[in-house]
Amino acid sequence: CYKDQGELSLAIKNFKKSIGYNENYIDANWNLALCLLLDEDFEPGWKQYEWRWERKNRSPRLETTKPEWHPGEKGRVLLWPEQGLGDEIMFCSILSELHARADSVIVQTDKRLLPLFQRSFPQDIRFVSREQTVKEEDYDLHMPMGSLPSHFRPTRESFDTGSNSFFKADLERVATLRSQLLDGEYDKLIGISWHSTAKRSLAREKAISLEPLAKTLNQSGTKLISLQYGDVSEEIAELKNKTGITVTEVSEIDNFNDIDGLAALIDACDEIVSISNVTVHIAGALGKPVKILLASSCDWRWGSKQDHSYWYENAKLYRQSEINNWENVLKMLGT
């Protein structure tokens, strides 16, 4: 409750007190990690973040006899995924730094990301689908993606050393989409996304209704582009019937399965406005101006107070001032 109310110091104090009674109390240790990261106390926060492996619904660990990579060690490193699509993108903002310190790197990732990764990162990095097994004889050391920051992002200042724009979209596809969408009638394209299908407790709280968002962004000469994944055609049609506002869907791109196409669509827009979902990670990685709409109790990766993301330099953060109330966020967007 303290954490959700933004009282991080009190939350941290009580989690530490619980751990004092039982040092193996998994929930207290995990929630302490989230609070420390929210509070930008990164060095102890990343150490606590390793408690994710003790949670009941954790991702499976890689079964291997090879040791985990640590700074200063050379060799062939396997970097393997453990969380969702957005997490893979965010943690791979550190990939080039790992690549510079290892003899070679193999990256397992969601197959939907393969075209983007192969185009965007050094050509000698080998990318394979996370469904594909990598033989132990092909690597000497390994590293779960979520442990990368503990070695490369120990302080707030350390985020400034990385490249915040690391994705390269298919530029030919970008140009074609932009020309088609502008159609000689519009001056500006704004890509929007308003809900998430993530199976997390915060997924419902972080969603925003399409109608007030569209009303806030609708301006003369501006075209609203749906970047939302899932079937939202009925919702968009209802908006049109009720308000006369058009949100354009690009039917040729499956925003859930065709991530390379989604990246091209995002890059074709002038700016992106979205709740916290995979859309903002793609936009941030592309270096696009992106406005991220955050629930009052947001995910640890966005911190607790700042108005810009330290993961993506062109990402501006708009935070709820009250739980489940988007009024102040919409007001800020409209100014």
Side-chain angles (χ1 to χ4, degrees), residues 5 29 77 85 90 92 94 101 104 149 154 180 193-194 199-200 233 254 265 272-273 279 281 296 299-300 317:
Q5 293 173 358
N29 276 287
V77 180
L85 204 69
M90 183 181 73
C92 278
I94 308 173
R101 297 197 185 189
S104 64
Q180 290 174 347
S193 178
W194 56 95
K199 296 177 181 179
R200 294 180 180 177
S233 55
D254 181 339
L265 183 57
I272 308 302
V273 180
T279 301
H281 291 283
S296 58
D299 201 52
W300 61 267
L317 308 177

Side-chain angles (χ1 to χ4, degrees), residues 9-269:
S9 61
L10 288 173
I12 290 169
K13 177 182 177 181
N14 280 279
F15 286 134
K16 286 182 176 179
K17 187 175 181 180
S18 296
I19 294 167
Y21 290 122
N22 178 5
E23 64 180 13
N24 294 317
Y25 186 5
I26 296 171
D27 286 348
N29 276 287
W30 172 242
N31 283 299
L32 175 60
L34 300 182
C35 285
L36 290 171
L37 293 174
L38 264 172
D39 207 30
E40 298 183 23
D41 196 359
F42 291 113
E43 193 163 5
W46 294 129
K47 183 178 179 180
Q48 284 293 127
Y49 194 63
E50 294 301 310
W51 275 90
R52 68 191 185 278
W53 300 115
E54 306 302 322
R55 303 179 71 215
K56 288 182 180 179
N57 297 323
R58 65 176 176 83
S59 301
R61 296 201 71 154
L62 177 70
E63 294 185 8
T64 179
T65 62
K66 298 298 179 72
E68 192 167 309
W69 179 86
H70 290 90
E73 295 179 317
K74 288 290 185 178
R76 302 167 299 166
V77 180
L78 171 64
L79 185 66
W80 51 275
E82 49 173 289
Q83 300 177 38
L85 204 69
D87 300 284
E88 291 185 36
I89 295 169
M90 183 181 73
F91 290 132
C92 278
S93 65
I94 308 173
L95 176 55
S96 292
E97 293 166 70
L98 173 65
H99 173 255
R101 297 197 185 189
D103 291 333
S104 64
V105 179
I106 302 172
V107 179
Q108 280 184 308
T109 186
D110 191 298
K111 63 182 179 182
R112 294 172 292 175
L113 288 172
L114 288 174
L116 264 173
F117 277 8
Q118 290 165 345
R119 184 187 304 114
S120 303
F121 289 106
Q123 294 299 303
D124 61 338
I125 297 178
R126 176 186 165 196
F127 292 98
V128 299
S129 167
R130 66 187 300 164
E131 288 81 21
Q132 181 178 339
T133 300
V134 179
K135 297 178 181 179
E136 283 198 354
E137 62 194 51
D138 292 342
Y139 62 95
D140 308 304
L141 304 154
H142 75 94
M143 169 66 57
M145 286 186 182
S147 296
L148 272 176
S150 65
H151 300 303
F152 293 96
R153 299 292 183 264
T155 64
R156 170 62 185 83
E157 292 71 27
S158 63
F159 284 83
D160 299 333
T161 64
S163 172
N164 285 289
S165 177
F166 54 91
F167 267 179
K168 297 177 182 177
D170 181 336
L171 295 182
E172 183 176 344
R173 199 172 184 183
V174 171
T176 299
L177 285 166
R178 183 168 177 82
S179 177
Q180 290 174 347
L181 291 168
L182 287 173
D183 195 29
E185 296 183 27
Y186 298 92
D187 304 313
K188 185 177 184 181
L189 304 176
I190 299 180
I192 62 172
S193 178
W194 56 95
H195 73 74
S196 172
T197 58
K199 296 177 181 179
R200 294 180 180 177
S201 58
L202 294 177
R204 182 177 300 175
E205 286 80 1
K206 70 181 183 180
I208 188 171
S209 297
L210 173 59
E211 182 179 336
L213 178 62
K215 283 181 175 179
T216 300
L217 298 175
N218 188 46
Q219 299 176 18
S220 176
T222 295
K223 190 173 190 177
L224 301 182
I225 310 299
S226 173
L227 305 175
Q228 186 60 59
Y229 42 87
D231 185 2
V232 293
S233 55
E234 186 175 327
E235 193 175 358
I236 288 174
E238 183 179 345
L239 174 73
K240 175 69 173 178
N241 292 333
K242 186 176 180 181
T243 68
I245 298 174
T246 297
V247 174
T248 299
E249 292 187 279
V250 180
S251 59
E252 67 193 72
I253 296 174
D254 181 339
N255 290 341
F256 184 81
N257 291 304
D258 182 8
I259 297 301
D260 198 34
L262 176 59
L265 183 57
I266 289 171
D267 211 22
C269 295

